[in-house]
Every structure is written in C-alpha cells, then in structure tokens.
Amino acid sequence: MDFLDNLVAFLLDLVWSKPLVYGLLLTGILFTLMLKVFQLRHFKEMIRLMFRGENSPKGITSFQALSLSLAGRVGTGNIVGVSTAIFIGGPGAVFWMWATAFLGASTAFIESTLGQIYKREERGEYRGGPAYYMEYGINNKFGKILGITFAIVTVIATGLLLPGVQSNAIASGLHNAWGIPHWIVGAVLAILLALIVFGGLKSIANVATAIVPFMAIIYILMAIVIIVINIADVPAMFALIFKSAFNLEATFGGILGAMIEIGVKRGLYSNEAGQGTGPHAAAAAEVSHPAKQGLVQSFSVYIDTLFVCTATALIILLSGTYNTTDGQTLADGRPSLLFDGEVYVQSADGSRDYSGTAMYVQAGVDKAFEGASYVFDPTFAGLGSKFVAVALFFFAFTTILAYSYMGETNISYLTRNLSDNSTKVAINFVRALLIFATVFGTIRTAALAWDFGDLGVGMMAWLNLVAIWFLFKPAVRALKDYESQMKEKGSGNYALYSPSKEEVPNAVFWQHDYPERLNKTGEIETFNEWKTNKN
C-alpha cells in the first residue's frame, strides 16, 4: 500500500495548498462584511427558525434539515480532528477553529441559501445543492461542466473517500473500549446502514433527528461537568488558547503557520462551511423563503464548532492530556514535542504513538474523574474510552448516513434525464459502494483514512468556492429581502420569496412551482395579489 499512501499524500499537497486554506478564511471575511455581520445580528432569528419550518410530502422540516446537515458536520472531526489540531498546532489551533466557524457561518449562509434558490422538484422530492446551483445559477456551459464535475467528485468523496474516516474512528473506539474486533464492527455497520440508507431521505432524516441532538447534548454536558470539576483552571486555559493563537506563549512559539493551517483545515473538516455538503440538506427543507434555511444552516456551524468542538477542546486542555509537536522527528522515529502531556498509544511492539487521536479525550475524561490519583494507562481501561466509543459511534454513524444522502442527491442530478429505473439502479449502486467503503475503513489505518477524507473535502471545497463567488449576489439579495419583509410584516414567519426571472434566472421552483401550489392550497388569496401588495 506504500504506492497508494504516497499517491494520496502527493494529491493532498496539491489540493490542500495554502491558497485553499487562506482562501476559505478570506471568503468568510468578505461574506461576513457583505452580509453586515449577520452572525451577530440574526443570532436570535437563527434559533427561532430552527423550530418553525414547514413540512410536506416532498420535503423535510427545517429542524430535520438541520439535523441532517449536523449529521454530516458533527462526526469524528469533532473528537479526533480537534485532538489532531492540538497535536500539530497546540492550544492556539482551537482559536483558529473558532474563527473559521464564525466566519464560515457566512459562507454556510451563502451556499445553503443558493441551494434553496436553485432547488428542483424531481420524482416527488426536493433536490438541490452545489451541482444544481452551478448549472442553473451560472447558466452557461462552464456552469454545467462545473456542476457535473462537482457531482462526480462528491459521489466519489461521499461514497468512497469519506465514509472510511468515520468507520475507522468507530472501529478504533469500540476496540479500545471493549476489545471488539474491527471486522465485527464493519459487519454490524454494514447491516445497520443497509437497513436505513435504502429507505431514502425520510428514513435518513428521521434517524438523524432522533440521534444527533441527543448525542450532542450528552457530549456537551460531559464537557460542562469537567469544567465544573476544574473550574479554577478555566481562566488560565482560555488565556493559553488566546496567547498561543497569536504566538505569545513561549511553549508554543514558532508554530503560528502550522497552528493557523491546521486550525482552519480541521475547522472546515468539522463544520464543512464552504465545502458544499450543507446545501444538499438545506435544499430538501420546506420553507417559504430561502434565507430562512440559510440562517438555520449558519447556526449549525456554531453548534458543530463553537459547541461540540469546544467541548472536546475543554476536556483535553483542562486535563492537560495532550501533546504538541514542533513538526520535527527524533532519531528514534518519535515526534519532537513542544509539550508532552505523557499521553500515548502503545503498540504490541512497544512503540508509542503520541499524535492526536481520540486518546486525548479518553485520558481527559479519566483524569477529570480520578483527580490527583490519576495515573495514565495506555490501555485506556477507564470511563473515558467507553464514553468516547459511544460518542464516536453515534456521531460518525450519522455522518455516514448524511454522506449517503449527498451521494444520492448528486446521482439524481447526473441521471435526471434518464429513466426512473436507471436512476434507481445508480442510487442503489452508490449506496452499496458507501457500505463497502465503510467496511473497508474499519480495517485500514487511521492515517490513510484521514488522508482520503481530507482529499475528498479539499476537492469539493475548491469547486464549491469557485461557484459561490460566481453566485453570491442572489443569496445576499435574499437576506436583504427577508430582512425587509421581517420589518414590514413584524416577523419572518410571513416572508415569501418571489424573485423575478431577470433577477434570478432559472429559479424554477420559486417562480413557478411554489406560487402555483400556494394558489391551489389557498394559503394566500392569490400569489400575484401578494406580489402586488409587496411592491
């Protein structure tokens, strides 16, 4: 497998170059300015809208769409990804993950609102996402080529590259906690996935809605308990994060570049803002105005990074159970460490792995509850390994479910001009591919699994960034329109989206399908009358 490892490493260097890392930060900054720091202005509205979405046989509620997108966002990156960020970039990397989340909320708004604007009704269900707004929004040959390319890359990424990252974390966690063989974990995951993913959008959304909020709350509560236990150390810990982030902490001096890069990379991997995954779930939601779901999806970035990732960081940093490398390797093959928390995984041959994995959180939980009597145990026999194993299982499993839906959506896009039977066969093939990739991931090394995942994320992000810079104006106008209707009508509840064909070409759903349905159901007297009164 050396050839495969080397090939993936080479491609990663090309895809995850500095232009992408800093381009994502710059994109977030500029969109934040264009939207007038809506992250703060509409924070209350984001929360309100989560529970106010409509439902229909063709779509899902805002909360279901939020849960489905969170299923994709909240995964192994929230545990293993944060640990890796601290190993490579130190405590300061946490600050750059926060910055990525705050700025990324604006990017998430733009892409998710575009997903709503350009969604289509296909075979009785709402479908949308980057491929759709690339083709119908850019509206030329370049847009169509970009859409097809994104769809193909996303099918490969979500069906083949990304599932292994999640399943590898699940298998490692369960093996650590209870000694369950990896192949058994793979077999069980295959059965569970088959039972759910072949049920389609509704089945996936229902499972995500049941699991994601519950597990996120339990995980955050654990972090709160650890904060209370270590309350006296909290101010010093936050000071360490901020001082390290700006290279003012002597212990972690000299790694500012690595700190920012890994913070942004892991921040993106976790919250997926700009990657183009969120718009798939956003487009499936039944709402009366695209900006509504854009705001909800922006809040999902906060939940993922500011809440769940921060919970991981607090567990690790308060307990001091982490290591940070300076990027060098010692003569005996061990990483050179700037900070040595004496946490490691010991292999059968006696070698030790000090790098950032779930072991940081496992040791952190154990130390928090055992206190001064805590003695590090490389076998992770305490409560921490069991807590992390359960958290990883639910977080990562629901993420794989979200990948299934994204792959299905892009297959529908690629085969929309073929027969229903051909599309069904293609979708089932991708579902089977995802199950295979999931099982394969349980028996491969974590390093290769992460490299595959980073490669898929990076390719999707590059294509999506190009598209949203072409198309951001309709999304910005949508927010202004929503704000105007909020002011005129006293609430966003009554906001209706009615773009002209000149303003937003090819927004077929909003210009034809939705007004026609409103007129038929009598939800307003006539759609044309509403537009006249609005103007």
Side-chain angles (χ1 to χ4, degrees), residues 169-181 185 189 385 389-390 392-393:
I170 292 173
S172 297
L174 292 174
H175 181 75
N176 239 356
W178 291 288
I180 302 174
V185 176
L189 287 177
S385 62
V390 173
L392 278 174
F393 175 80

Side-chain angles (χ1 to χ4, degrees), residues 10 20 48 142 145 206 211 228-229 235 240 330 347 400 411 413 415 419 422 476 502 526:
F10 171 75
L20 176 59
R48 189 188 72 83
F142 170 73
I145 292 173
N206 288 336
I211 294 177
V228 172
I229 292 173
L240 177 64
L330 301 177
S347 302
I400 297 171
I411 284 293
Y413 167 81
T415 63
S419 67
S422 297
V476 174
E502 293 74 25
T526 68

Side-chain angles (χ1 to χ4, degrees), residues 445-458:
T445 63
L448 183 61
W450 271 106
D451 286 347
F452 271 137
D454 279 343
L455 184 60
V457 169

Side-chain angles (χ1 to χ4, degrees), residues 206-281:
N206 288 336
V207 173
T209 303
I211 294 177
V212 172
F214 170 77
M215 196 60 231
I217 290 171
I218 295 298
Y219 192 77
I220 292 169
L221 284 176
M222 173 63 83
I224 292 173
V225 170
I226 292 176
I227 289 173
V228 172
I229 292 173
N230 298 278
I231 193 67
D233 298 325
V234 171
M237 183 206 63
F238 278 104
L240 177 64
I241 290 174
F242 286 105
K243 287 170 67 177
S244 299
F246 297 98
N247 225 32
L248 301 176
E249 174 60 41
T251 304
F252 304 100
I255 59 169
L256 183 60
M259 187 183 300
I260 296 174
E261 189 166 336
I262 193 64
V264 174
K265 185 186 292 188
R266 284 289 167 252
L268 170 68
Y269 195 94
S270 177
N271 64 53
E272 300 184 353
Q275 180 185 328
T277 54
H280 296 94

Side-chain angles (χ1 to χ4, degrees), residues 27-87:
T27 296
I29 291 170
L30 294 177
F31 284 161
T32 295
L33 295 175
M34 290 178 192
L35 298 169
K36 299 178 181 178
V37 198
F38 84 105
Q39 300 100 313
L40 299 179
R41 294 189 299 111
H42 290 308
F43 187 81
K44 183 179 178 181
E45 184 71 359
M46 292 177 189
I47 298 174
R48 189 188 72 83
L49 288 171
M50 282 194 297
F51 306 101
R52 300 286 298 187
E54 301 88 28
N55 201 354
S56 76
K58 300 173 183 178
I60 56 180
T61 66
S62 287
F63 189 74
Q64 285 179 313
L66 173 73
S67 297
L68 183 55
S69 65
L70 277 173
R73 299 183 198 276
V74 179
T76 184
N78 295 82
I79 299 177
V80 181
V82 177
S83 301
T84 304
I86 291 173
F87 174 69

Side-chain angles (χ1 to χ4, degrees), residues 5 39 42 101 166 173 204 210 214 251 343 384 417 446 452 491 525-526:
D5 292 345
Q39 300 100 313
H42 290 308
Q166 309 299 329
I204 293 171
F214 170 77
T251 304
V343 188
N417 295 322
F452 271 137
S491 170
E525 291 183 13
T526 68

Side-chain angles (χ1 to χ4, degrees), residues 464-479:
N464 189 54
L465 276 177
V466 171
I468 60 180
W469 272 111
F470 269 98
L471 296 169
F472 67 88
K473 290 182 180 179
V476 174
R477 286 196 297 263
L479 180 62

